[in-house]
Amino acid sequence: IVNKPRLQFTHYEDSLYLDLIQLIPNDKHLHYKICHLVDKLLEVDKFEFNSVYVDVLRGLFDLVSSSSGREGGEFYTPSAVTKLMAYIVNNEKCNKVLDPFCGTASIIHELSQFENFPSFFGQELAYKTSIFARINAEALYGSCDCIANVNSIINWNRDQYDAVVSCPPLGLRLSPDEMMIARHVTPECECRCFEDIILSRPFCINHAKLSVTHLTTGFCFRGVRGSRDYMVRRELVENNLLDTIIALPSNILYGTSIPSIILVCKKWRDQDDPIKFIHADDYFLGDRRKRIFDYDRFVKMVEGNPCDVAEVSIDEIRQYDYNLNPSLYYKKDFKLKDGQKVVRLNDLLA
C-alpha cells in the first residue's frame, strides 16, 4: 500500500480547535456523524484537500447563509458584495486593512484574489461568529491571530491602517450606554448609531486614506435638517471625504430585500473632484428572490464605458440640501427628441 500524505488535523492544544469542539451540541447522533466525516476527510490526499479547501469553505458559508434567512444575513455578506469592496481596496493599493465588524471575515477570500494581498485585522463581537472568522483567517493566512473577539465600540483598534472596510449591522442605533462610551473614545465626534462610528473613526483614529462601508440606502436621505444623520452627510461632503456612492440592487442580501449602497470615502481628494454616483441597481443575476450582484458586468462598465456613472459637484449636492439619494443624480448626456425635456420628480411634487 502506497502511503499518501494525509490531511493533518489541528493539535489538541490549538485554541481554535478547542473552541470549535465547544460549539458541537451534546448530541450523540451528531457526534457520530462528525466522527464519520472526519474519517472520510482523513482518506483525502493532503495536496488535493488543500487545493480546494479555501473555495469549499467560502462556498459553504454562502450556502449556510442563503438557507438561514435573517439569521444568516446578520453575520455574512454575499461574496459578490465583499468582492466589490475588495476591488475598491485593491484599486487604492492598500497594504493594511481593518474590518471592525468583520462577521466571518469573508472579505479576506476576495482580497486574496488580487496580487496585492494586504495584511488584515478583524474584530467581531459575537463569539461563535468570531470562530468562523478565525477559520477563514487560518485557511488564508495560516494563522488566526488577526481576528479578535471584542466589542469595537469600546475597543476600536487604534493602529494605523490604509483602509477600513465594514459591513456593520444594518440600521442599528447605539444604546445610551454605548453612546456614552463612544463619546469617551472619540469626544470630537458625536456618535448615535453605527454609521457615525464607522464613518468617523477610520480617519480620526486609524489615519486611513480610504473607508469602504456597506450601508442601507436610508443613510443617504434619512433625517431632517439638523438631525445627526443629516449632519454626518454634510460633514462628509464639506470635509471633502465623500468620493463614491454605489447603489446596489435590492434582494441581493441574505435575510432582507432592502436595497443598499457601498459608501466610499477618501482622504486627500482634490477640492474640485466630483462625487461619483454609480447606478448599479440593475446589475444582478437571477430572479427576484435569489439575486446575485453581477460583479463582472459592473467592473466591465466602470473600467470600460462608465455609462451608469454620474459625476456630481459639491455645489449640486448643496442645492439638494445634502440629500445623497442616488436617484436624484443621474447622467444627463443623452439626446432628447424634439419637444422633450428632463423634469425631476421632486420638481413635479414641489
Side-chain angles (χ1 to χ4, degrees):
I1 300 175
V2 178
N3 290 321
K4 298 189 297 182
R6 300 301 177 92
L7 171 69
Q8 299 296 314
F9 281 94
T10 313
H11 295 297
Y12 284 98
E13 297 82 12
D14 188 287
S15 60
L16 177 56
Y17 179 82
L18 294 174
D19 288 341
L20 282 169
I21 293 297
Q22 294 297 319
L23 291 181
I24 301 176
N26 187 20
D27 184 317
K28 290 184 179 180
H29 179 65
L30 182 57
H31 273 266
Y32 171 79
K33 293 175 70 174
I34 291 173
C35 290
H36 180 68
L37 172 63
V38 170
D39 287 340
K40 290 296 183 183
L41 289 175
L42 286 170
E43 296 176 4
V44 179
D45 178 84
K46 182 180 179 181
F47 176 80
E48 293 176 357
F49 182 92
N50 290 338
S51 67
V52 299
Y53 174 60
V54 173
D55 289 335
V56 170
L57 190 62
R58 177 170 54 180
L60 181 62
F61 278 120
D62 264 325
L63 180 62
V64 170
S65 297
S66 63
S67 60
S68 299
R70 182 178 178 85
E71 182 181 353
E74 289 176 353
F75 74 91
Y76 193 82
T77 304
S79 57
V81 176
T82 54
K83 190 173 184 178
L84 172 59
M85 299 176 75
Y87 168 80
I88 297 168
V89 169
N90 181 68
N91 279 353
E92 295 299 318
K93 297 178 173 57
C94 298
N95 295 316
K96 290 184 65 179
V97 177
L98 169 68
D99 188 341
F101 304 98
C102 71
T104 62
S106 58
I107 193 170
I108 59 178
H109 286 282
E110 313 309 332
L111 290 170
S112 68
Q113 303 301 309
F114 297 102
E115 184 178 349
N116 177 35
F117 188 10
S119 64
F120 176 87
F121 191 86
Q123 300 184 182
E124 172 55 40
L125 174 61
Y127 172 68
K128 181 178 178 180
T129 307
S130 71
I131 293 178
F132 296 149
R134 288 161 63 193
I135 294 173
N136 275 325
E138 189 169 67
L140 285 153
Y141 289 101
S143 167
C144 61
D145 294 339
C146 62
I147 304 296
N149 175 213
V150 296
N151 184 337
S152 289
I153 297 173
I154 302 171
N155 296 306
W156 186 279
N157 188 305
R158 291 183 169 272
D159 293 342
Q160 185 168 344
Y161 289 91
D162 296 323
V164 177
V165 300
S166 185
C167 299
L170 298 178
L172 289 184
R173 296 280 171 172
L174 300 179
S175 69
D177 288 342
E178 288 172 331
M179 287 187 201
M180 183 177 65
I181 292 169
R183 196 175 299 119
H184 286 294
V185 176
T186 48
E188 67 276 20
C189 303
E190 182 184 1
C191 295
R192 296 180 181 175
C193 60
F194 279 89
E195 287 93 334
D196 293 343
I197 289 176
I198 58 181
L199 295 177
S200 60
R201 290 185 179 179
F203 300 108
C204 67
I205 293 181
N206 304 116
H207 305 289
K209 65 178 180 180
L210 174 74
S211 74
V212 184
T213 311
H214 182 218
L215 297 170
T216 61
T217 307
F219 167 78
C220 296
F221 51 82
R222 188 174 54 221
V224 297
R225 178 183 291 194
S227 68
R228 184 55 195 158
D229 293 312
Y230 173 92
M231 295 305 296
V232 171
R233 294 195 299 270
R234 178 176 176 174
E235 288 167 9
L236 290 177
V237 171
E238 293 300 337
N239 291 331
N240 201 27
L241 290 171
L242 181 58
D243 183 80
T244 304
I245 292 179
I246 304 173
L248 298 174
S250 59
N251 279 314
I252 63 169
L253 304 179
Y254 300 128
T256 180
S257 61
I258 62 174
S260 58
I261 62 167
I262 299 294
L263 189 78
V264 182
C265 296
K266 293 182 185 178
K267 258 187 179 180
W268 306 309
R269 282 167 36 91
D270 290 338
Q271 197 61 41
D272 296 328
D273 283 351
I275 296 170
K276 293 184 286 294
F277 288 81
I278 305 181
H279 297 271
D281 318 57
D282 296 326
Y283 285 70
F284 63 86
L285 302 169
D287 58 27
R288 291 188 60 184
R289 290 192 173 185
K290 292 186 178 181
R291 289 179 174 179
I292 299 173
F293 177 63
D294 194 346
Y295 169 84
D296 292 330
R297 186 161 70 96
F298 174 87
V299 171
K300 184 178 180 180
M301 180 271 293
V302 171
E303 295 183 351
N305 175 24
C307 55
D308 291 314
V309 179
E311 295 188 345
V312 180
S313 68
I314 290 180
D315 284 338
E316 185 173 354
I317 290 176
R318 290 190 185 111
Q319 290 175 14
Y320 280 98
D321 202 17
Y322 305 99
N323 188 327
L324 301 177
N325 192 338
S327 63
L328 289 175
Y329 310 99
Y330 55 91
K331 290 181 73 71
K332 305 171 187 176
D333 57 348
F334 53 86
K335 294 181 179 180
L336 297 174
K337 297 180 180 179
D338 291 341
Q340 290 183 331
K341 65 178 181 178
V342 175
V343 179
R344 295 183 186 272
L345 181 60
N346 276 18
D347 296 337
L348 294 175
L349 297 176

